[in-house]
Amino acid sequence: LFFSALQEDTSPTYSVLMLATSFLAAFLIISSLGSSNGKMPGIHETAAWSALSEHTKTINGVHLRDMLQDADRCTALTASHGEIVLDYARNRVTEETMSLLCALAEAAGLDGKRAAMFNGEHINNTEDRAVGHFALRAAAGTSVMIDGRDAVADVHEVLTKIKAFSEKVRSGEWKGCTGKPLKTIIAIGIGGSYLGPEFVFEALKKEKTAEGAAQGRTLKFLANVDPIDIARATEGVDPETTLVVIVSKTFTTAETMLNARSLKNWLLQGIPRVDPSVVLRQHLAAVSTALDKTEEFGIDSNNVFGFWNWVGGRFSVCSAVGMVPLSLHYGFEVMEQFLAGCRDMDQHFLNAPIRQNIPVLMGLLGVWNSSFLGYSSRALLPYCQALLRFPAHIQQVDMESNGKRVTTDGTVLPFETGELDFGEPGTNGQHSFYQLMHQGRVIPADFIGFIESQTPMHLPGEEVSNHDELMSNFFAQPDALACGKTVDELRAEGCPENLIPHKEFPGNRPSLSLLFPRLDPFTCGQLLAIYEHRTAVQGAIWGVNSFDQWGVQLGKVLGIKIRKQLVASRGGASVEGFNPATTALLEKYLAGAQK
């Protein structure tokens, strides 16, 4: 309007006003994009976020037991990929909620952020690194360019080396230094170098093909620097038939390297009559990029397997970190199927429409439950004993990724990100913490089930098979959490009045259910990739860097300081430089150790 009023004016005053107005317009545009320090507005400042915040008022007025009576809603709130079904009808959402969440994903630039990851861009901005764990399972012949190199070609070069080495060990071509075949593998690592591989190892232990491939072999993990863990890992193990795999990118991780030196000493003491250099060459392998350090340690350079700085520890299962020990145990062919399952889910995540995209939907629901409904925890409940270590792995994947306080540009968030993930296989958890879930705190839950058991069993005379008994609980618990038990229902059942308050279940507890056909190497890979990508989705929407972990560093630094104090105090020095509480504990520890 202002320009229209002046468009016929050709005076100098007009020119000055034009210039001033242009500056003003530019200022307003820049201001709309971010604050005066040039930072982009947070997701919480968008209209999409505000719409969802307002929408919670509607949701808070509706109970899940009523929502579940709507057949059309229940049908709409499902997604599938191949034989996998995701049912999220027991979440406190409607079709409107999902539309608003999709709008939030658009406002957060989810599509662009996902594309940036798959294009090899440095989305880990604080460490200036790409994030390429998907390239670890990409098909041979495809290409992903990261830092000017074809990452897929590099990956398959290492995989070829892993296949050759694992087959040599498994066939007996590569033997121990006394001529005995190497039947026991002890993998030394911590954090992502341990939790992920252990989850996969346990998941496949009783799967028919994998179990057959591992016949006569043993795989153990050594993670904790606690000497008890060393004793457990080496108990009943013959050094002459053991191959130790040391997993450390830099070969400097304090806990891992102390454990590595301890196992090195165990090997040398257990095989005393052979040249130490021969013992180490035949009984040690490593996953590392520090070839000078591995050679100095005594490891044959041909038995060192590398990976890249674009592989984060908690996302490294598909790299040599997991593939070396798991291929030695289960065989490379089994692990190829695991990689294929991951790859299948990578493509689903990249290409499926948002309302059928399982990892995206799960990520959106995670944001909804934590950021809008205020639920700070999440239970991971696999109704499959083989997944007993899955919750522990996802704890790290999710909590180390999204437990952040600032956005990627360093802006402090006005809300908390990440959930406290925990879990236990069903039905064990039902007799542990489900009481709190039903009548205490509201904890959204992920139920994971399988149509077929790895070890089917149906006793004569029993009405149902063991697996049907298990799965009866898988189907019952989500409904119990959602619908609860009302006072009227209790009275209709003749419940004594004094017990009604104790037996009432409020319900309205959200959950989702994932149903797979069976747990095998392929579906195990699919499951892992679902949760890896769900984590990335939530981080992308919140605007945090899901791929760094600066919160791990401070404790390490302080640990080094205390370690130096312990060394000094063993030599008689007094405890100095700590707060009074820590000083008192250190003095108590040192006094007890001296006794």
Side-chain angles (χ1 to χ4, degrees):
L1 289 173
F2 183 69
F3 279 121
S4 297
L6 294 175
Q7 63 184 351
E8 302 299 328
D9 195 340
T10 59
S11 67
T13 302
Y14 168 74
S15 299
V16 173
L17 287 170
M18 279 286 290
L19 182 62
T21 306
S22 297
F23 276 117
L24 177 61
F27 172 77
L28 290 172
I29 291 170
I30 293 170
S31 296
S32 72
L33 294 176
S35 62
S36 58
N37 60 8
K39 294 181 178 179
M40 294 294 289
I43 189 63
H44 62 284
E45 299 173 293
T46 63
W49 186 279
S50 298
L52 278 161
S53 295
E54 183 66 23
H55 180 64
T56 59
K57 298 175 184 177
T58 301
I59 293 300
N60 287 335
V62 187
H63 198 286
L64 270 173
R65 73 168 65 95
D66 299 316
M67 290 185 180
L68 285 170
Q69 300 309 307
D70 184 340
D72 291 338
R73 173 187 171 276
C74 291
T75 300
L77 300 184
T78 61
S80 61
H81 170 65
E83 294 183 85
I84 304 172
V85 174
L86 168 66
D87 175 3
Y88 56 101
R90 292 167 196 79
N91 267 267
R92 295 179 59 199
V93 297
T94 62
E95 277 289 277
E96 182 185 3
T97 315
M98 297 312 299
S99 296
L100 291 171
L101 284 169
C102 291
L104 184 69
E106 184 176 354
L110 177 62
D111 286 350
K113 292 175 180 178
R114 177 177 55 190
M117 182 175 80
F118 279 85
N119 288 335
E121 297 178 25
H122 282 211
I123 62 172
N124 179 353
N125 63 314
T126 63
E127 297 178 299
D128 193 22
R129 294 176 181 173
V131 174
H133 49 276
F134 62 93
L136 297 170
R137 52 263 191 151
T142 60
S143 178
V144 176
M145 298 304 296
I146 298 179
D147 297 331
R149 292 185 60 87
D150 185 349
V152 179
D154 289 345
V155 164
H156 279 271
E157 182 178 337
V158 174
L159 287 175
T160 299
K161 186 178 176 183
I162 293 171
K163 179 181 180 182
F165 179 66
S166 62
E167 288 177 350
K168 282 169 62 177
V169 172
R170 288 172 57 81
S171 69
E173 181 182 346
W174 183 279
K175 294 181 174 64
C177 61
T178 60
K180 295 180 180 179
L182 298 170
K183 295 288 189 178
T184 299
I185 309 299
I186 300 179
I188 304 175
I190 199 165
S193 300
Y194 151 65
L195 290 168
E198 188 189 41
F199 138 61
V200 178
F201 164 67
E202 292 288 352
L204 301 182
K205 187 185 288 187
K206 301 306 294 182
E207 196 275 330
K208 185 176 180 181
T209 302
E211 184 180 24
Q215 196 69 36
R217 312 194 67 83
T218 302
L219 174 58
K220 294 192 169 189
F221 295 91
L222 173 56
N224 201 329
V225 74
D226 188 335
I228 294 172
D229 206 16
I230 296 173
R232 288 163 60 96
T234 57
E235 184 178 12
V237 176
D238 181 359
E240 293 187 34
T241 60
T242 300
L243 176 68
V244 175
V245 180
I246 305 165
V247 183
S248 176
K249 184 182 291 186
T250 62
F251 233 61
T252 59
T253 307
E255 301 97 326
T256 298
M257 294 316 300
L258 180 54
N259 279 339
R261 291 189 293 273
S262 300
L263 265 290
K264 179 180 181 178
N265 182 64
W266 174 77
L267 285 169
L268 294 176
Q269 287 189 345
I271 316 175
R273 294 180 299 278
V274 179
D275 184 324
S277 65
V278 177
V279 174
L280 300 180
R281 186 181 67 243
Q282 295 301 119
H283 292 265
L284 290 180
V287 177
S288 179
T289 56
L291 292 177
D292 55 336
K293 291 184 174 65
T294 57
E295 183 178 2
E296 183 182 342
F297 201 83
I299 302 173
D300 186 331
S301 60
N302 292 315
N303 298 341
V304 180
F305 306 88
F307 56 115
W308 306 267
N309 69 2
W310 42 261
V311 181
R314 55 191 175 275
F315 297 98
S316 66
V317 185
C318 297
S319 73
V321 168
M323 287 297 289
V324 169
L326 292 167
S327 295
L328 285 165
H329 186 69
Y330 287 125
F332 191 79
E333 288 185 4
V334 168
M335 295 313 300
E336 276 187 313
Q337 285 300 304
F338 169 74
L339 294 180
C342 292
R343 179 167 62 248
D344 174 79
M345 188 50 61
D346 292 340
Q347 291 302 307
H348 170 72
F349 171 57
L350 183 61
N351 298 312
I354 191 167
R355 288 300 301 270
Q356 281 296 314
N357 195 309
I358 292 174
V360 172
L361 289 169
M362 290 174 63
L364 292 175
L365 293 169
V367 171
W368 169 248
N369 283 327
S370 60
S371 293
F372 295 96
L373 298 184
Y375 305 139
S376 60
S377 302
R378 178 168 51 204
L380 306 176
L381 309 173
Y383 275 66
C384 177
Q385 187 63 28
L387 293 179
L388 77 163
R389 295 299 290 161
F390 180 67
H393 177 50
I394 299 307
Q395 272 186 335
Q396 187 197 12
V397 168
D398 196 79
M399 295 170 70
E400 197 168 85
S401 294
N402 289 338
K404 306 295 169 59
R405 59 183 292 274
V406 299
T407 62
T408 53
D409 65 13
T411 302
V412 177
L413 286 162
F415 59 88
E416 294 180 337
T417 63
E419 295 97 329
L420 195 161
D421 287 297
F422 71 99
E424 179 74 16
T427 59
N428 298 357
Q430 293 174 202
H431 299 274
S432 174
F433 51 80
Y434 279 36
Q435 167 63 45
L436 183 144
M437 294 176 64
H438 280 292
Q439 292 184 306
R441 298 178 184 272
V442 178
I443 301 174
D446 294 358
F447 288 87
I448 303 168
F450 299 88
I451 295 172
E452 301 173 19
S453 172
Q454 288 182 342
T455 58
M457 180 183 296
H458 193 162
L459 296 178
E462 292 289 342
E463 189 175 14
V464 296
S465 69
N466 294 50
H467 188 64
D468 279 352
E469 182 69 32
L470 173 74
M471 292 300 289
S472 295
N473 289 275
F474 167 83
F475 292 112
Q477 288 293 331
D479 279 348
L481 287 165
C483 299
K485 188 95 169 181
T486 67
V487 170
D488 289 342
E489 288 172 331
L490 289 166
R491 285 187 176 132
E493 293 174 359
C495 179
E497 283 294 322
N498 66 311
L499 291 181
I500 284 177
H502 302 280
K503 292 192 171 186
E504 180 186 3
F505 289 74
N508 220 26
R509 268 85 166 136
S511 69
L512 61 81
S513 298
L514 274 170
L515 186 62
F516 289 78
R518 67 198 64 83
L519 180 58
D520 57 25
F522 187 84
T523 57
C524 184
Q526 289 179 310
L527 177 64
L528 173 65
I530 285 173
Y531 277 82
E532 288 179 340
H533 295 317
R534 180 192 70 174
T535 294
V537 168
Q538 290 191 224
I541 291 173
W542 283 321
V544 302
N545 183 352
S546 298
F547 306 103
D548 63 10
Q549 55 282 325
W550 297 107
V552 178
Q553 303 304 317
L554 180 58
K556 288 183 178 180
V557 172
L558 294 179
I560 292 171
K561 180 182 177 182
I562 290 175
R563 181 178 180 273
K564 291 178 179 178
Q565 179 65 64
L566 292 174
V567 172
S569 294
R570 299 293 188 206
S574 60
V575 177
E576 296 179 352
F578 301 93
N579 64 63
T582 302
T583 299
L585 279 174
L586 280 170
E587 289 175 343
K588 179 69 174 177
Y589 172 74
L590 288 163
Q594 287 171 1
K595 291 180 183 178

